[in-house]
Amino acid sequence: MAGHESHPTAPPKPRATPEEMRERKRLSRQRVSDDSEFITVSMGPQHPSTHGVYQAVVDLDGEIVVNTRPNIGNLHRGVEKLAEVKSYHRFLPLTDRLDYISSFAMNHAYAEAVEKLMDIEVPRRARYIRTIGDELCRLSNHLLWLGVHVMDFGAQTFFLICFRDREYVMDLWEMLCGARLTHSYARIGGVAADLPDGWVEKCRAAMEFMPRRLAEYQRLVEKNRIFLKRTVGIGIFTREDCVAWRVTGPSLRATGMERDLRKTEPYAAYDEVDFDVAVEYDADVYSRYLVRMKEMYESCRIILQCLDQLPEGDYINQDAPSQTFPRKKQVMRDSAAMVQDFMQTFRGPKVPKGEVYKAIEVPKGEMGVYIVSDGSSIPQRLHLVTPTFYHCQATPALFEGEMISDVVGIFGSVDIVLGDSDR
Amino acid sequence: MTEFIILIIKLVLIIAVAVGMVPFLIFFERKFAGFFQSRMGPTYAGPWGSLQSFGDMAKLMSKEDLVPAAADGPVFRIAPYILFVPAFVSMTLIPFGPMDVDIFGYNVDLVVSSFDAGVIMFLALGSLAVYGPVLGGWASNNNWALLGALRSGAQMVSYEISMGLAVVGVIVMANTLNFVDIVDAQAGGFWNWFFIPQLVGFVIFFVASIAELNRDPFNLAEAEQELVAGYMTEYSGMRWGIFMFGEYVNMVVMSAVISTIFLGGWRAPFEFLDVIPGFIWLVSKMLFFIFLYMWIRWTLPRYRYNQLMDIGWKIFLPLAIANLAVTALIISVV
C-alpha cells in the first residue's frame, strides 16, 4: 500500500527558524509609533479585496495597521439551524453553499460524518470517485485562489488566465453532475451517479495537460520581481500562531508542519494513492503560494492514479436500504427500490443515537462536521467547523504591524470564502 | 489679426487632437486588455465595439452629479479639472511639424508656442497637475480618498525630481530649453535622436512618467485592491469621468513629450521619409508609447508604497544625477 512513506526528499533547510520569524514579526510591529493619531478605515464589506462580505475595521498609523476589528456574519443564513429541521439527505445540498468554490469537498465532509454516525460502508468505486472529486475541487479552488491572489497585487491579466484553465475543471464537473459550482454530487453512502461515458478519458486528458499550464504559471509568477518583492518575507505567521488561532490547510503547511488529514487520518481512497504533502518552511506569503502550487501538481497526480486504479462496482452503498438512496436507474423498474427512494426522500434515513465528529482536508483547511443524533431522521444538533471562520478570527494577528498594501496580500494568502465562515 | 486667427485655429486643433484621441485610447485600452486576457473586449457598439467609449460617456453624463454632504463642495467640484487643464497647456509646447510652413499662402509655425523655457514650463505644469488628485482626495472627506491623495502627492512629487533630472541631460546636449530647438537638434535620422546617447535618461524618464501618470505598476494612488478607488472613491458620474479623461489626456501629453525629447518629435527616422508629414510621425510615436503604457499596465503587479519610494529616491535619483554628471563631463571635454 502506497501513501504512508514520509516525504521522499529531505526537507530543505528553513531560511529562518521559528524564533527568528517571531523576532521579525515583533520588530515589524514595533514600527508603529505610540503617540500618533490613527486613521480608521473600514475594509469591507464592499471592499474589492476582502473576497466577499468580510469587514475589517482597521486603525492606520500612516500606512501601517495598528488595530483590527474583524466583523463577519454579513452572509449568515442560519445553515446550522436549518439542519435541525431537515432530514440528513435534505441537508446535503445546503453544504454546497458553505464553501461554494469547492462545494463537492463540503458535500464530502458532511457525507463522511453521517456515514461515520450510521456506520455504513462506502463502496470502493465511490471512494475513488470522491477522491477524484475532492482533488478536482482542490484544483479549481487553488486556481481561483492563485488568480485572485495575484490580482490582489495588481496584476489583472493573471486572474483571467487562471479562470481560463479553471474552465477545464468546471467542464468536467458539468459533465459529471450537471452543475458547475454547486455540485451536490455526494450522497450518504456514495455519490449521486456513476461516471458518465467518456468522462475518464476527458479527465485524464485535462489532468495530463494541467501540469504544463501550472509550469507556465510558475514561470509567470516566480520570475516576476515585483511579485517576489511583495511576497517573500511578508506576512510571517509562525507555527505557534497558526496553532494558537487554529489556522489550518496550506497556511499551516507553509510553516513546516506536515499536517494533512489526507495523510494523517486517511479517508476515501487517499491511503491507496501515492502523493506527497506539500510543505514549506518560511511561513510567509510566498511559502503559502508555493504550498498551493505544489498541491495542484499533487492533485493532478492523485487524480491520474485514481483514474488508473478505478475499480468496478457500485457507486452507492446498496446494503443499507433504510439509510441510503437506491441507484436511480432502478427506481422506475423495481418496486422495492421505488419504495426505498420514496421513504428516503420523504421520511429520511434511520440513524442510531449518538454523536460523531469527522474532519476532512478541504482545499482551504480542515473541515469538521459534528453531529448529535437523538435517533430520529433529523439531526438534533449539527455543527460545522469550517476553516474560513478560524482564518477570519486570526486576521488581527495577521494584519497588525503590516502595511495596508500587504494586508490585502496576506489576507488573500490564507484563502477565505465568506460562505464558509458565516454559514 | 491673421496671426491671431491662425493661433486660435492651432489651439482648437491641438485641443481637438488631445481630446479626440481619448475615446479611442479608452477603446484601445479595453481592446488590448481583451487581447492580453484572451477575451474579446467590447464588440457591440459600432464596428468592433469602437463606439463603446461614446456609449460610456453618454451613460456618465446622464448620471446624477453627486457631491457627498460631508465633502468640501467647491474644491470637490473643481478638482477634476485641475488634473487636465495643465495637460492641455503642456500640449501647446509640442511642435507638430517644421516652422515657417507655407499653408494656403500663410506662413505658419506648426507649434502653438515656441517658448524658450518650454521644458521648465512642462515640468511646472506637471507639478500643477498634482493638485487634482490631492485636492479631490482631501475634499472628499473620506479616509480612503485621503490615503489615495497622500500617496498620489508623495509619489508625483518624488518622481518629478528624477524626471526633471533625466531631461537635463538632453538639455545639456541640445543646449536649449525650447522644444522646437530640441527637435531641431535631433534632425538627420534616427541615429541622431537623443534616446541613444541618453539611454539612461530615456529609461528613467519613461518609468518616472508611468509614476506621474499613476498607472500600473505605480498606480498606488487609486490602487483598487487596497484603497477601493483611492482619491476617486467619492466621485461618480461625469466628475469621475473627467478624472479618467484627465488621466488619458495626461497620457497623450506625456507620450508626446517623450517622443519630442527622446525620439525626435515630428522628424522621420530616415530623411527620405520626410515626404510623410511630421504630424503623422509624431502621432505614431505617441501611439507607440501609449501602447507600451497599456502593455505594462495589463502585465505587471503593483509595487508597495514604500518600495515605490525606494525606487524613486534610492535608484532613479542617484542614477539621474550620475547620468547628468557623465553627460556634462563628456560635453565639456569633447
Side-chain angles (χ1 to χ4, degrees):
Chain A
M1 184 102 64
H4 279 299
E5 294 92 357
S6 59
H7 208 267
T9 51
K13 196 182 168 296
R15 268 177 290 192
T17 63
E19 290 73 42
E20 284 169 339
M21 288 181 204
R22 289 175 80 80
E23 182 62 15
R24 262 196 256 167
K25 185 92 189 178
R26 201 180 58 77
L27 285 176
S28 77
R29 285 183 189 167
Q30 262 184 3
R31 286 185 303 195
V32 176
S33 54
D34 295 327
D35 53 348
S36 41
E37 285 184 40
F38 303 136
I39 294 181
T40 305
V41 291
S42 163
M43 278 185 84
Q46 291 164 339
H47 189 276
S49 291
T50 52
H51 304 208
V53 285
Y54 170 82
Q55 186 191 21
V57 180
V58 292
D59 293 338
L60 296 175
D61 179 15
E63 292 261 328
I64 296 172
V65 174
V66 185
N67 297 311
T68 311
R69 293 180 290 283
N71 181 11
I72 60 166
N74 289 301
L75 202 58
H76 183 71
R77 292 146 299 172
V79 171
E80 288 181 7
K81 188 69 192 164
L82 281 169
E84 294 169 20
V85 295
K86 285 182 185 303
S87 83
Y88 285 92
H89 291 307
R90 287 184 173 191
F91 180 65
L92 193 128
L94 278 180
T95 56
D96 280 346
R97 277 80 181 165
L98 296 172
D99 178 356
Y100 40 80
I101 312 293
S102 43
S103 47
F104 177 74
M106 295 281 138
N107 300 162
H108 187 185
Y110 172 70
E112 287 273 347
V114 178
E115 283 150 11
K116 190 176 171 188
L117 176 68
M118 294 174 175
D119 195 24
I120 56 173
E121 187 87 355
V122 181
R124 191 147 171 265
R125 186 178 174 83
R127 287 195 279 126
Y128 269 81
I129 296 175
R130 283 182 176 187
T131 309
I132 295 172
D134 257 16
E135 294 308 315
L136 283 179
C137 279
R138 196 175 312 278
L139 210 51
S140 73
N141 177 74
H142 285 2
L143 279 173
L144 176 72
W145 171 84
L146 180 64
V148 172
H149 183 57
V150 178
M151 194 172 73
D152 279 345
F153 294 119
Q156 306 191 358
T157 298
F158 199 76
F159 175 68
L160 282 123
I161 294 177
C162 286
F163 250 62
R164 184 185 64 191
D165 292 337
R166 190 167 168 261
E167 270 315 279
Y168 294 105
V169 181
M170 287 298 175
D171 288 346
L172 287 175
W173 273 116
E174 193 176 352
M175 199 172 160
L176 186 58
C177 64
R180 289 161 63 84
L181 206 61
T182 49
H183 309 129
S184 297
Y185 180 56
R187 290 288 180 275
I188 292 160
V191 291
D194 206 357
L195 301 178
D197 292 341
W199 193 85
V200 172
E201 290 71 38
K202 203 180 168 193
C203 183
R204 181 172 284 129
M207 289 308 121
E208 278 164 1
F209 162 80
M210 201 61 89
R212 292 214 301 274
R213 272 288 156 77
L214 293 177
E216 190 185 321
Y217 296 163
Q218 280 193 300
R219 280 206 308 282
L220 273 172
V221 170
E222 289 169 21
K223 293 193 174 169
N224 190 320
R225 289 185 47 152
I226 302 181
F227 183 79
L228 295 180
K229 267 192 151 181
R230 293 294 306 271
T231 53
V232 176
I234 304 292
I236 291 165
F237 204 59
T238 61
R239 191 183 301 184
E240 288 78 7
D241 290 332
C242 279
V243 173
W245 292 97
R246 198 202 177 274
V247 170
T248 51
S251 312
L252 180 63
R253 291 194 279 280
T255 66
M257 195 187 242
E258 238 178 290
R259 182 177 163 84
D260 189 329
L261 293 181
R262 293 178 293 169
K263 263 294 195 239
T264 53
E265 298 168 21
Y267 54 92
Y270 282 112
D271 49 354
E272 297 175 34
V273 291
D274 183 28
F275 68 101
D276 301 325
V277 177
V279 178
E280 280 291 325
Y281 297 88
D282 288 340
D284 56 0
V285 174
Y286 189 60
S287 301
R288 286 170 219 149
Y289 153 76
L290 284 176
V291 166
R292 290 199 175 86
M293 210 68 198
K294 282 185 192 170
E295 279 187 1
M296 282 197 266
Y297 283 110
E298 291 300 318
S299 292
C300 295
R301 226 177 109 199
I302 293 171
I303 294 172
L304 283 175
Q305 285 179 54
C306 284
L307 292 175
D308 289 338
Q309 303 171 10
L310 195 66
E312 293 300 318
D314 260 326
Y315 58 86
I316 188 162
N317 188 325
Q318 295 298 304
D319 304 330
S322 59
Q323 288 163 328
T324 62
F325 277 107
R327 286 189 292 263
K328 206 75 197 172
K329 258 184 189 158
Q330 283 184 323
V331 172
M332 288 300 164
R333 296 176 187 165
D334 179 2
S335 62
M338 193 173 153
V339 170
Q340 184 190 345
D341 190 71
F342 183 82
M343 294 300 277
Q344 291 303 320
T345 309
F346 288 98
R347 204 213 57 194
K350 271 196 176 140
V351 183
K353 248 185 171 171
E355 53 187 277
V356 69
Y357 176 80
K358 174 76 182 170
I360 73 165
E361 187 79 25
V362 297
K364 291 188 168 60
E366 286 173 22
M367 161 83 184
V369 179
Y370 175 69
I371 305 175
V372 182
S373 161
D374 57 357
S376 71
S377 61
I378 293 170
Q380 190 182 24
R381 175 80 173 96
L382 187 139
H383 182 55
L384 299 157
V385 185
T386 49
T388 304
F389 181 77
Y390 297 97
H391 293 172
C392 284
Q393 82 169 355
T395 44
L398 279 163
F399 288 1
E400 282 164 20
E402 305 285 353
M403 294 185 79
I404 185 97
S405 316
D406 286 336
V407 158
V408 172
I410 294 167
F411 192 47
S413 75
V414 295
D415 198 4
I416 58 141
V417 58
L418 264 293
D420 198 24
S421 147
D422 292 353
R423 306 200 286 276
Chain B
M1 190 60 201
T2 34
E3 275 187 8
F4 186 70
I5 290 169
I6 289 171
L7 181 69
I8 294 290
I9 291 171
K10 282 195 291 193
L11 268 175
V12 169
L13 278 177
I14 290 287
I15 289 176
V17 167
V19 174
M21 266 174 102
V22 170
F24 294 100
L25 290 186
I26 294 172
F27 164 67
F28 287 148
E29 174 120 49
R30 303 175 81 157
K31 219 57 184 170
F32 285 141
F35 290 145
F36 293 141
Q37 299 174 346
S38 41
R39 56 187 178 85
M40 301 284 287
T43 47
Y44 286 101
W48 311 291
S50 54
L51 300 178
Q52 183 71 36
S53 314
F54 297 101
D56 287 347
M57 242 184 266
K59 183 201 77 172
L60 287 174
M61 281 186 198
S62 61
K63 280 191 159 186
E64 186 190 352
D65 177 22
L66 193 77
V67 179
D72 188 343
V75 183
F76 184 88
R77 285 195 184 89
I78 207 165
Y81 303 100
I82 300 179
L83 186 67
F84 83 68
V85 169
F88 282 136
V89 182
S90 304
M91 206 64 191
T92 61
L93 302 167
I94 309 294
F96 279 83
M99 310 292 276
D100 285 335
V101 189
D102 188 59
I103 297 177
F104 304 129
Y106 296 103
N107 259 357
V108 181
D109 300 340
L110 287 179
V111 59
V112 178
S113 72
S114 168
F115 186 44
D116 276 339
V119 178
I120 303 271
M121 182 72 173
F122 159 71
L123 291 171
L125 288 166
S127 306
L128 276 182
V130 181
Y131 283 104
V134 170
L135 289 178
W138 179 259
S140 297
N141 202 358
N142 173 315
N143 282 342
W144 292 121
L146 177 62
L147 280 171
L150 286 175
R151 280 183 177 192
S152 158
Q155 170 184 338
M156 285 164 113
V157 166
S158 12
Y159 273 81
E160 241 157 43
I161 297 171
S162 334
M163 201 169 171
L165 283 171
V167 194
V168 178
V170 171
I171 296 171
V172 169
M173 285 186 74
N175 208 8
T176 173
L177 282 166
N178 191 334
F179 279 110
V180 176
D181 296 341
I182 287 177
V183 173
D184 285 342
Q186 304 179 70
F190 73 89
W191 50 90
N192 287 337
W193 294 356
F194 282 135
F195 82 97
I196 296 171
Q198 287 292 319
L199 190 63
V200 181
F202 173 58
V203 172
I204 293 172
F205 191 92
F206 180 66
V207 179
S209 73
I210 300 176
E212 285 282 292
L213 293 170
N214 269 330
R215 285 179 77 82
D216 230 12
F218 302 124
N219 63 345
L220 291 120
E222 54 196 271
E224 182 192 316
Q225 283 80 10
E226 295 153 25
L227 302 184
V228 189
Y231 60 86
M232 294 193 289
T233 306
E234 291 287 354
Y235 281 89
S236 60
M238 204 51 209
R239 273 182 215 286
W240 177 86
I242 288 170
F243 256 131
M244 289 307 281
F245 203 76
E247 283 187 9
Y248 280 90
V249 172
N250 269 317
M251 204 158 90
V252 172
V253 172
M254 199 58 92
S255 57
V257 168
I258 300 183
S259 314
T260 305
I261 294 178
F262 291 100
L263 247 60
W266 53 267
R267 289 191 182 273
F270 298 99
E271 281 192 330
F272 66 85
L273 288 173
D274 278 344
V275 283
I276 301 170
F279 178 76
I280 289 176
W281 283 115
L282 181 67
V283 170
S284 44
K285 284 169 192 172
M286 283 160 67
L287 287 176
F288 167 71
F289 282 107
I290 287 167
F291 174 71
L292 274 188
Y293 287 135
M294 290 177 181
W295 190 7
I296 290 170
R297 171 172 177 190
W298 293 106
T299 309
L300 290 179
R302 179 188 308 120
Y303 274 106
R304 201 173 62 199
Y305 179 65
N306 59 338
Q307 290 168 346
L308 173 95
M309 286 302 181
D310 282 355
I311 296 168
W313 289 100
K314 291 183 188 164
I315 299 176
F316 282 163
L317 186 61
L319 212 61
I321 292 173
N323 177 50
L324 173 60
V326 171
T327 311
L329 200 69
I330 292 172
I331 294 287
S332 61
V333 169
V334 176

